[in-house]
C-alpha cells in the first residue's frame, strides 16, 4: 500500500477532514518507525504525570485515554507519526494539526498524549543541559493549566493548546519565575541601533509598507491604504531610517543617525528571547524584574547555543495605548514601559478580547468587572481601536 493510500484510509477511519500537506511526503517514513512508546501504558502515564507535577485527576484522565488508545491501531499509527514529526524530525510547531472529531477520552486527549510521549526526551535534554528539575516542572505547569482550562470550559478533559505546548515539550520555552522565555528569532519588521552612550533607536525594516496611522499595512486585515514604504539607507557617515514613537507607531519623517557613533545591534532573525506571560494571576513588577535577572543568568549557563541579543514580546500587552488608559504604577503599564515598542504584522484587537473577555463580546453587554474591561470598552466607544504590538529590551539594558 502506498503511503498516501494508507494515510487516506486512516483519515477516513478517524474522520480527519485534512492533514498537513507535508505528511504526504513524511508518512511512509514513520511506517516502520519503532520508537519506544511507553505513553500507551497507563502505569507509565501515571508515573510521568507525577514526575511533571500534573494533578491526580488529570493524570487519571490521561491514563484512561492511554488505555483506550492502546486498543485502537489507527490512533496508534497516527500517534507514531505525530511523535516522529515533533520529537524526531522536529518539524515546525503543529498549530494546524488535525483535531480528532471523535469525543472519546482518547480522541480528546490524543494531542496531550502525543506531547507526553516526548517527556522522556525532554527530561534527558533538560538534565543534559543541567537544568534544575524544579524549572522543568514549572515549565510544564502550563500543560497542567491548559488541561484544567479545557476541563473547566467544556466539562471534560481535553487539550486545545497543543501547538503552543509543543514548544515546552521541545525544549524551547522555560518558566523562570513569573515569566516564560522562548528561544526565538527577532521580528522581521525592525532593525535596532545603539550609540556609544547606550541610547537605542528602532528603525523600520526597509520595504515594510505602513498605513497613515503608523501600523503595518497588514494591520486590521489591511483595511487602510498604504501611506508609505520604509527605506533604510546606510553609508559610512549616515544611517537614515524611519523610527517608531513611544507608542510603537512608525514616523513617516525619517531620522538621521551618525554612522560613526551608532551601530546595528539587532537585525531580523537574530537570536532573542521571546517573553510570554501565563495567566497565573497578577504579574507583580518585582517578580518580573526577578524573572529577567534569572533569564540573564540561566541562558548563558544552560542554553549557550542561543546567544540572545534582546528580549522581545509580541502581545496585546504591547499596545502603547494601554499606558494612556491604565495607571502608570499598575503592573501592565510598568511591564509595557520596560520595552521599546514597534508594530507587528497583522495587528488587531482579537487577542485583547481573548485575554480580557475570553473571546469576542458585544460591547453593549461586555462584562465591566475590572478596570481593564472598562477601559477596553471605553476606548472603543470613543472611536479608538486596540491593536497588538511588539516590544524589545536590549540584553544590555
Ligand atoms: C498579564 C496579566 C497577568 C496582567 O494582570 P495584572 O498584573 O493584574 O495587571 P494590572 O495590575 O495592571 O491590572 C490592572 C487592571 O486590569 C485588570 N486586569 C488585568 N488583566 C486582566 C484580564 N486579563 N482580564 C480582565 N481584567 C484584567 C485588573 O484586574 C486590574 O483591574 P482592577 O483594579 O479593577 O482589579 C493578566 O492580564 C493575565 O493574566 N492575562 C492573561 C495572560 C496573557 O494575556 N498573557 C500575555 C499573552 S500574549
Amino acid at each position: 500500500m502506498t503511503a498516501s493510500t494508507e494515510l487516506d484510509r486512516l483519515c477516513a477511519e478517524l474522520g480527519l477532514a485534512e492533514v498537513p500537506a507535508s505528511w504526504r511526503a513524511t508518512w511512509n517514513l514513520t511506517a516502520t518507525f519503532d520508537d519506544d512508546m511507553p505513553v500507551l501504558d497507563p502505569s507509565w502515564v501515571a508515573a510521568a504525570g507525577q514526575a511533571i507535577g500534573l494533578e491526580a485527576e488529570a493524570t487519571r484522565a490521561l491514563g484512561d485515554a492511554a488505555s483506550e488508545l492502546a486498543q485502537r491501531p489507527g490512533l496508534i499509527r497516527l500517534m507514531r507519526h505525530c511523535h516522529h514529526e515533533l520529537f524526531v524530525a522536529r518539524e515546525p510547531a503543529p498549530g494546524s494539526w488535525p483535531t480528532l472529531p471523535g469525543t472519546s477520552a482518547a480522541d480528546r486527549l490524543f494531542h496531550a498524549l502525543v506531547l507526553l510521549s516526548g517527556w522522556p526526551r525532554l527530561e534527558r535534554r533538560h538534565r543534559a543541559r543541567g537544568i534544575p528539575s524544579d524549572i522543568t516542572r514549572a515549565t510544564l505547569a502550563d500543560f497542567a493549566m491548559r488541561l484544567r482550562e479545557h476541563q473547566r470550559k467544556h466539562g471534560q478533559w481535553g487539550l486545545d493548546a497543543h501547538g503552543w505546548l509543543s514548544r515546552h515539550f521541545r525544549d524551547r520555552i522555560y518558566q523562570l519565575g513569573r515569566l516564560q522565555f522562548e528561544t526565538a528569532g527577532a521580528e522581521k519588521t525592525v532593525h535596532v541601533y545603539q550609540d556609544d552612550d547606550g541610547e537605542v533607536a528602532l528603525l523600520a525594516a526597509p520595504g515594510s509598507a505602513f498605513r497613515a496611522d503608523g501600523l503595518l499595512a497588514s494591520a486590521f486585515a489591511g483595511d487602510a491604504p498604504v501611506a508609505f514604504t520604509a527605506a533604510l539607507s546606510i553609508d559610512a557617515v549616515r544611517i537614515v531610517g524611519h523610527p517608531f514613537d513611544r507608542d510603537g507607531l512608525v514616523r513617516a519623517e525619517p531620522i538621521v543617525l551618525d554612522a560613526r557613533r551608532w551601530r546595528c545591534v539587532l537585525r531580523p532573525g537574530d537570536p532573542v528571547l521571546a517573553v510570554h506571560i501565563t495567566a497565573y494571576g497578577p504579574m507583580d513588577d518585582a517578580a518580573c524584574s526577578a524573572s529577567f535577572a534569572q533569564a540573564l543568568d540561566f541562558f548563558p549557563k544552560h542554553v549557550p547555543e542561543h546567544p540572545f541579543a534582546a528580549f522581545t514580546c509580541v502581545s496585546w500587552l504591547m499596545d502603547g495605548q494601554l499606558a494612556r488608559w491604565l495607571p502608570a504604577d499598575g503592573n501592565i503599564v510598568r511591564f509595557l514601559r520596560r520595552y521599546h515598542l514597534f508594530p507587528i504584522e497583522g495587528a488587531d484587537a482579537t487577542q485583547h478580547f481573548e485575554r480580557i473577555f475570553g473571546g469576542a463580546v458585544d460591547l453593549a453587554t461586555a462584562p465591566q468587572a475590572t478596570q481593564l474591561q472598562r477601559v477596553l470598552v471605553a476606548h472603543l466607544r470613543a472611536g479608538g481601536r486596540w491593536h497588538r504590538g511588539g516590544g524589545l529590551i536590549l540584553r544590555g539594558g
Side-chain angles (χ1 to χ4, degrees):
M1 201 185 322
T2 66
S4 275
T5 320
E6 192 212 352
L7 180 55
D8 290 335
R9 280 171 63 149
L10 190 67
C11 286
E13 177 193 323
L14 298 175
L16 297 176
E18 224 181 322
V19 294
S22 62
W23 284 16
R24 305 254 159 226
T26 57
W27 186 255
N28 57 0
L29 290 177
T30 55
T32 52
F33 169 60
D34 202 18
D35 208 10
D36 191 19
M37 296 287 273
V39 74
L40 299 175
D41 171 1
S43 60
W44 182 89
V45 171
Q50 196 175 24
I52 68 172
L54 275 186
E55 57 184 300
E57 208 187 313
T59 305
R60 266 197 305 279
L62 283 166
D64 292 346
S67 306
E68 185 200 327
L69 205 150
Q71 306 303 316
R72 294 175 60 184
L75 268 193
I76 295 175
R77 174 70 181 94
L78 186 64
M79 168 157 285
R80 283 193 192 288
H81 186 74
C82 293
H83 174 90
H84 187 277
E85 290 271 304
L86 264 187
F87 301 111
V88 181
R90 292 182 72 83
E91 290 297 323
S96 63
W97 279 15
T99 302
L100 291 158
T103 53
S104 74
D107 294 314
R108 282 182 279 107
L109 288 163
F110 175 78
H111 291 297
L113 290 171
V114 171
L115 292 175
L116 199 59
S117 75
W119 161 239
R121 277 173 196 269
L122 179 71
E123 191 185 24
R124 281 198 298 275
R125 282 176 84 107
H126 275 202
R127 295 303 82 82
R129 290 187 182 285
I131 292 173
S133 51
D134 59 330
I135 290 182
T136 305
R137 276 170 80 104
T139 300
L140 294 182
D142 209 357
F143 179 53
M145 189 180 83
R146 307 288 169 146
L147 286 166
R148 173 49 77 186
E149 221 170 69
H150 188 286
Q151 206 282 337
R152 222 182 354 250
K153 218 162 146 183
H154 305 285
Q156 285 183 315
W157 291 98
L159 189 71
D160 302 319
H162 53 277
W164 162 247
L165 290 161
S166 71
R167 305 179 196 193
H168 303 52
F169 278 92
R170 293 201 297 181
D171 191 28
R172 280 183 49 195
I173 282 191
Y174 307 91
Q175 181 87 38
L176 303 177
R178 180 64 186 92
L179 304 174
Q180 289 175 332
F181 298 90
E182 177 187 7
T183 52
E187 292 294 310
K188 63 180 187 188
T189 44
V190 59
H191 290 232
V192 185
Y193 285 80
Q194 192 167 33
D195 77 358
D196 297 341
D197 299 328
E199 201 181 322
V200 176
L202 272 59
L203 301 178
S208 308
F210 288 96
R211 310 147 49 108
D213 60 9
L215 295 172
L216 282 156
S218 57
F220 297 107
D223 69 356
V226 171
F228 75 99
T229 298
L232 179 60
S233 77
I234 304 153
D235 60 30
V237 187
R238 295 172 0 132
I239 301 156
V240 184
H242 299 272
F244 303 112
D245 67 15
R246 198 164 147 82
D247 279 352
L249 304 173
V250 79
R251 290 203 188 133
E253 201 56 37
I255 55 163
V256 180
L257 306 176
D258 180 345
R260 290 159 301 192
R261 294 194 61 246
W262 288 81
R263 63 189 195 290
C264 185
V265 290
L266 191 81
R267 289 181 183 79
D270 282 354
V272 296
L273 291 180
V275 180
H276 303 282
I277 308 98
T278 35
Y280 290 148
M283 50 170 185
D284 177 67
D285 188 55
C288 292
S289 293
S291 280
F292 282 112
Q294 196 178 345
L296 288 170
D297 180 58
F298 176 92
F299 280 89
K301 213 183 270 174
H302 301 294
V303 196
E305 75 277 16
H306 191 75
F308 68 99
F311 295 102
T312 58
C313 183
V314 171
S315 171
W316 67 273
L317 291 165
M318 294 294 116
D319 185 333
Q321 303 170 106
L322 288 166
R324 282 202 292 282
W325 285 92
L326 290 171
D329 59 354
N331 292 337
I332 290 177
V333 177
R334 291 176 82 167
F335 186 73
L336 169 78
R337 284 295 174 228
R338 290 173 184 268
Y339 294 82
H340 299 279
L341 303 183
F342 59 89
I344 54 151
E345 296 288 356
D348 65 17
T350 310
Q351 199 185 46
H352 292 69
F353 281 98
E354 267 168 17
R355 301 306 164 113
I356 298 166
F357 296 114
V361 283
D362 182 342
L363 288 194
T365 55
Q368 296 287 272
T370 72
Q371 199 178 6
L372 185 60
Q373 291 177 334
R374 292 190 289 276
V375 308
L376 195 96
V377 170
H379 178 60
L380 294 171
R381 288 218 173 105
R385 288 172 113 181
W386 297 103
H387 56 80
R388 238 160 42 108
L392 179 138
I393 306 169
L394 279 183
R395 183 175 179 167

